[in-house]
Amino acid sequence: MLEVSGLTMRFGGLKAVDGLSFAARAGEITAVIGPNGAGKTTVFNCITGFYRPTEGSIVLTHPSGERFPLQRMPGHRIASAAKVARTFQNIRLFAGMTVLENLLVAQHNRLMASTGFGVLAVLGLSRYPAAERAAVDKARHWLDAIGLTERADDPAGALPYGAQRRLEIARAMCIDPVLLCLDEPAAGLNPRESEELNQLLLKIRGEGCSLLLIEHDMGVVMKISDHIVVLDHGKKISDGTPQDVRADPAVIAAYLGEGEEDEEVEVQA
């Protein structure tokens, strides 16, 4: 559903992403991994409209067959029309709002449209009450999915860290994305919280949403990913199933722990 072809991103003389090509299939979890500075977040920024790529194309295809050239679309249109949602490395909840309000604010555009952006409300023709009920129902669905129904009226900032991570993902899901992009969702989580995250992401995949994630936690990546793309210095060095990637010597050398120091020890032995 997502085709990245020849993606290049330059910042002055620095080439952060260099001719990257990969495909993410519909209904799957695709992980993008690599050492720090490999260009992973830059790729996400290009896909979600924060950066305009220097070269290359990024095409998202909906289940309906409609195609969206993301590299030419402004960021707000990537979210609203192409239905691409995103979370960030640092949690960006509205800490002073309640848990429920955080899920409702994600549906603000839909709620405003139901009032004709105020015009229908003035004429007494507003469809807002029905839209509000639908928004609350959607929020309740995701509150149940993340196990926070009993804390719906608590400030989001009062939640434990792992619960805030899950709430941020649930908020992104309230726009009904076809592609959910997650930037290090397991960062800072303990093993129990990581397992809760795994179950949530598998549930999201089961509901028909495709996922693209950046992650350093190999326990998360290897357990839930259908497909892994490995970057190093802005270039793709491996692309395949978790089993293929785990056994790839280039990945082992660049990312999973076997480097020049290990090779020197073997030579000396």
Side-chain angles (χ1 to χ4, degrees):
M1 76 177 311
L2 181 72
E3 298 175 79
V4 177
S5 302
L7 181 66
T8 298
M9 187 70 206
R10 296 188 182 91
F11 298 98
L14 173 66
K15 189 179 288 187
V17 181
D18 187 1
L20 175 65
S21 297
F22 71 90
R25 293 180 288 273
E28 292 190 354
I29 298 176
T30 300
V32 179
I33 68 172
N36 288 330
K40 304 181 299 295
T41 297
T42 300
V43 172
F44 261 41
N45 285 340
C46 291
I47 291 171
T48 55
F50 285 85
Y51 295 156
R52 184 65 59 89
T54 307
E55 298 173 16
S57 66
I58 307 166
V59 179
L60 179 73
T61 304
H62 279 201
S64 65
E66 187 175 6
R67 292 165 62 86
F68 296 86
L70 303 185
Q71 79 281 359
R72 297 203 299 265
M73 297 175 65
H76 71 280
R77 292 291 295 164
I78 291 175
S80 62
K83 292 293 184 181
V84 177
R86 178 188 179 163
T87 66
F88 296 83
Q89 288 180 340
N90 298 317
I91 293 173
R92 298 190 180 185
L93 294 171
F94 297 102
M97 288 185 175
T98 68
V99 170
L100 176 61
E101 287 169 342
N102 268 271
L103 299 183
L104 293 177
V105 77
Q107 304 176 69
H108 172 75
N109 287 343
R110 190 177 304 149
L111 291 170
M112 286 298 296
S114 71
T115 69
F117 297 95
V119 175
L120 295 178
V122 172
L123 298 175
L125 302 174
S126 175
R127 299 186 301 274
Y128 183 83
E132 184 181 36
R133 287 193 296 272
V136 170
D137 287 344
K138 185 182 296 293
R140 284 175 175 163
H141 169 78
W142 286 108
L143 284 174
D144 288 341
I146 61 176
L148 291 177
T149 301
E150 294 182 357
R151 303 201 63 173
D153 295 324
D154 292 351
L159 296 175
Y161 184 81
Q164 290 189 34
R165 280 282 184 193
R166 298 197 307 276
L167 177 58
E168 190 171 45
I169 293 171
R171 184 178 63 179
M173 288 303 299
C174 281
I175 73 164
D176 297 325
V178 299
L179 178 66
L180 176 62
C181 298
L182 304 171
D183 194 346
E184 296 199 32
L189 301 186
N190 61 40
R192 178 183 59 80
E193 291 169 334
S194 291
E195 182 57 31
E196 291 174 345
L197 174 69
N198 285 352
Q199 296 308 311
L200 175 60
L201 299 187
L202 291 172
K203 177 179 176 61
I204 289 171
R205 183 187 66 178
E207 294 199 1
C209 181
S210 303
L211 292 93
L212 185 67
L213 66 101
I214 294 171
E215 189 50 69
H216 283 295
D217 187 333
M218 290 298 102
V220 171
V221 170
M222 294 299 174
K223 281 182 181 178
I224 68 172
S225 299
D226 301 293
H227 173 212
I228 299 176
V229 177
V230 189
L231 304 183
D232 191 23
H233 299 293
K235 294 184 178 181
K236 183 174 73 175
I237 61 171
S238 189
D239 186 345
T241 66
Q243 293 76 19
D244 293 337
V245 167
R246 185 186 289 118
D248 191 326
V251 177
I252 295 170
Y255 190 76
L256 296 180
E258 181 180 305
E260 294 178 0
E261 184 176 331
D262 300 309
E263 294 170 2
E264 290 176 3
V265 170
E266 291 177 5
V267 169
Q268 291 173 0

